[in-house]
Amino acid sequence: MASEAVFLALKDAEIKPAEVDACFFANGFAARLFGDMTIGQNVFWELGINKIPVVNVENACTSGSTAFYLAYNMVAAGQADIVMVAGAEKMYVPELGLINSGETELETQLGLVASAGFALRAIRHMNEFGTTPQQLAQVAVKNRRHGQLNPFAQFRQPITVEEVLASPMIVEPFTRLQCCPNADGAAAAIVCSPTLTKHLSRVVNIEAVILCTGSYENLQDLTHWETDYRACRLAYEKAGIGPEDLDVVECHDAFTISEILHYEALGLCPKGEGGKLIEKGETALGGRIPVNVSGGLLSRGHPVGATGVAQIIEIVTQLRNEAGARQVEGAKVGLAHCMGGDKAADTKSCTIVVLSV
Amino acid sequence: MASEAVFLALKDAEIKPAEVDACFFANGFAARLFGDMTIGQNVFWELGINKIPVVNVENACTSGSTAFYLAYNMVAAGQADIVMVAGAEKMYVPELGLINSGETELETQLGLVASAGFALRAIRHMNEFGTTPQQLAQVAVKNRRHGQLNPFAQFRQPITVEEVLASPMIVEPFTRLQCCPNADGAAAAIVCSPTLTKHLSRVVNIEAVILCTGSYENLQDLTHWETDYRACRLAYEKAGIGPEDLDVVECHDAFTISEILHYEALGLCPKGEGGKLIEKGETALGGRIPVNVSGGLLSRGHPVGATGVAQIIEIVTQLRNEAGARQVEGAKVGLAHCMGGDKAADTKSCTIVVLSV
């Protein structure tokens, strides 16, 4: 999977393997599944990319965007001209079963697995702001509708609010169709110095790349990730834009409530009004600010190491006006938001990438 | 373990947690052992380091030095002033047993586990250059003698050539005392911009940091890692020195033959004469160019994610003239060499760090 993604990225950019100066590979579980701590080297070697620095990166759901952050830093610093970023994940191996996460952490052992943690946030948001089960379900319905238009999406059959709410209960208020599925997948992107890309027409500019870790300082408001708000603010500052300048957004909809909370952190609507935003259809394709046009984690799928890169690729595809049936018309500025390692106190990692044409 | 190492590094550098701009954490197996893909965030959080970018890095035995490479790049590029590098590894968890590596690779499945691969290189070197079992054993004896003087070493009892050769056979020609032991451990270092360190007396300068991956292009000579030679050449070029300028070296003595092969790649002696170099005592404390004064992987131990950082710390300690009984007198220039993911065709990753005072 990863080799195919790297091959397609090289082909798309018309770059030869020998021209790549450095590589970052994002993956969470190869060490667990295969005992392999140099999986990136294996992948790049298959494509004839060798000798150069290769780093394997791991940062939970933000692994792919963290790899992109390192690639961007290297090019921005003049330490490399062409850097390959790839991410891949195999979530299921028959002999080992599904992978879990954070097994030794006390709060996980006490029952606060990912779905339960996000459920607490959802219940709090419903209680505080009147967000409804129907509004939560509408996130899944919208992202499935988008996923139908994406040939790379894992799930492409339409669903209704009624079907979402009637699917098996996982942890209140989330039914199964409100939790992102396990997916195997891979994605790759190439970061180049501007001097190399002058003559190319399909280039997308990087306006900001932000990586933050959690503050863990307090737990006063389950509907407010401090890290999420801080990362968004830093990204807007760096890019010199505000939420009103965005044409298209990919965000980390691990659960339906996540997308609603990220609307608010990103400033797409005031705090507490995320439920109303989805209900009004403003974040659907054709709306004011389409979110997760790829289908998002909920329908495109969530192969952990690949996700952060896949989000960036969706924004690149949109800004290049190459997204076909799911094209956001005239998209000039896009943002990819990713978050990883959510715990009750705070999330462990948050990344924002702002792109423009 | 990791928190203690980070705490000691902060204390040594007289830096407050809030002053750190970014962190890199090296670890191979937390995902496997604990299902944890953000182990670095957990460690740094315990020390009050939060909000800033944190990246978890994985590159087999070079994980720690790869983290150092990323930290150096970030500071060199002016993207940060103070960067924390930490590495840690837990190699044994009772319920899971010992960790292995590369289980799905064909050559591993066919029997070419790490010890067997290095054994092939040893046999070839013995055949080609007349290197003797006694010379191999002398590497283990020397490094144990060094380890005796290092309070952080895992093994501190002296051993003789006879004892080394009489210990249980693992894979010909390696007896058990010629294979590095499994060790739990942690190490941490701080990379600062020169502007911040002007007033400090115990600062060590970074002259070169090189990260290479394998060429995998041919397998013509089992006694010659192309990557090893290439990384050494690049490091000498970057630092503007030659092997004759080195006062102290840490190298990746995973097996006794490794140290002999690295002597040759580093240019401490001509190709084929590594066995004679150890026999003449030139690489022992008090000799012309002391190697692995810490005890090396063979006696200090080899906690994978920590190793690359621990090597750098030994060189720093030597250049600061703080190594006590194992001090290399007047050491001004030192080199730390690390290698990871050895396969028959080539090694997957090699790092070199050159330091000076």
Side-chain angles (χ1 to χ4, degrees), chain B residues 125 131 136 139 256-264 274-275 278:
Chain B
H125 202 271
T131 303
L136 290 177
V139 173
T256 47
I257 188 64
S258 316
E259 183 166 315
I260 287 175
L261 293 175
H262 298 319
Y263 290 163
E264 300 174 8
I278 178 75

Side-chain angles (χ1 to χ4, degrees), chain A residues 35 45 50 54 56 58 102 215-216, chain B residues 35 45 50 56 58 102 215-216:
Chain A
W45 179 27
N50 61 17
V54 174
N56 294 279
E58 184 176 74
S215 62
Y216 310 101
Chain B
W45 179 27
N50 60 19
N56 294 280
E58 184 177 72
S215 62
Y216 310 99

Side-chain angles (χ1 to χ4, degrees), chain A residues 271-296:
Chain A
K271 177 86 191 257
E273 298 188 14
K276 292 183 195 121
L277 193 69
I278 178 75
E279 192 174 319
K280 286 190 277 177
E282 296 199 11
T283 56
L285 194 55
R288 179 171 61 87
I289 172 65
V291 175
N292 287 325
V293 183
S294 69

Side-chain angles (χ1 to χ4, degrees), chain B residues 118-269:
Chain B
F118 283 90
L120 290 181
R121 299 186 190 279
I123 288 167
R124 190 73 213 148
H125 202 271
M126 294 164 89
N127 185 277
E128 192 105 7
F129 303 111
T131 303
T132 65
Q134 286 72 23
Q135 289 170 340
L136 290 177
Q138 282 165 5
V139 173
V141 171
K142 166 184 74 74
N143 290 355
R144 184 61 68 86
R145 205 157 62 231
H146 292 167
Q148 278 183 264
L149 307 173
N150 183 0
F152 294 108
Q154 184 179 13
F155 291 106
R156 304 187 59 201
Q157 296 303 312
I159 48 174
T160 64
V161 166
E162 293 68 34
E163 284 167 342
V164 172
L165 293 175
S167 66
M169 180 59 73
I170 301 297
V171 48
E172 207 183 333
F174 300 142
T175 55
R176 191 169 63 195
L177 289 169
Q178 300 193 51
C179 308
C180 69
N182 282 291
D184 292 354
I190 292 171
V191 180
C192 279
S193 70
T195 50
L196 289 185
T197 57
K198 271 183 197 153
H199 63 292
L200 299 174
S201 57
R202 292 164 69 242
V203 164
V204 167
N205 304 310
I206 301 172
E207 303 292 347
V209 185
I210 303 296
L211 166 63
C212 292
T213 193
S215 62
Y216 310 99
E217 276 167 359
N218 47 45
L219 171 54
Q220 289 174 357
D221 182 356
L222 276 167
T223 68
H224 183 108
W225 282 294
E226 191 275 335
T227 314
D228 208 7
Y229 280 77
R230 181 161 36 88
C232 293
R233 196 187 65 233
L234 290 171
Y236 288 137
E237 271 174 29
K238 174 90 168 112
I241 62 164
E244 65 284 0
D245 299 308
L246 297 173
D247 298 313
V248 58
V249 167
E250 289 281 304
C251 82
H252 199 259
D253 57 327
F255 299 88
T256 47
I257 188 64
S258 316
E259 183 166 315
I260 287 175
L261 293 175
H262 298 319
Y263 290 163
E264 300 174 8
L266 284 162
L268 306 183
C269 67

Side-chain angles (χ1 to χ4, degrees), chain B residues 61-66 68 150 186-189 248-254 259 262 266 291-298 300-319 326 334-340 350-353 355:
Chain B
C61 302
T62 63
S63 298
S65 44
T66 298
F68 190 85
N150 183 0
V248 58
V249 167
E250 289 281 304
C251 82
H252 199 259
D253 57 327
E259 183 166 315
H262 298 319
L266 284 162
V291 175
N292 286 326
V293 184
S294 68
L297 279 61
L298 287 164
R300 188 202 57 231
H302 183 25
V304 177
T307 291
V309 184
Q311 292 179 317
I312 291 165
I313 290 171
E314 177 65 18
I315 299 296
V316 166
T317 307
Q318 292 287 343
L319 299 185
R326 68 183 193 285
L335 180 149
H337 160 285
C338 201
M339 209 174 88
C350 186
T351 59
I352 311 268
V353 176
L355 303 172

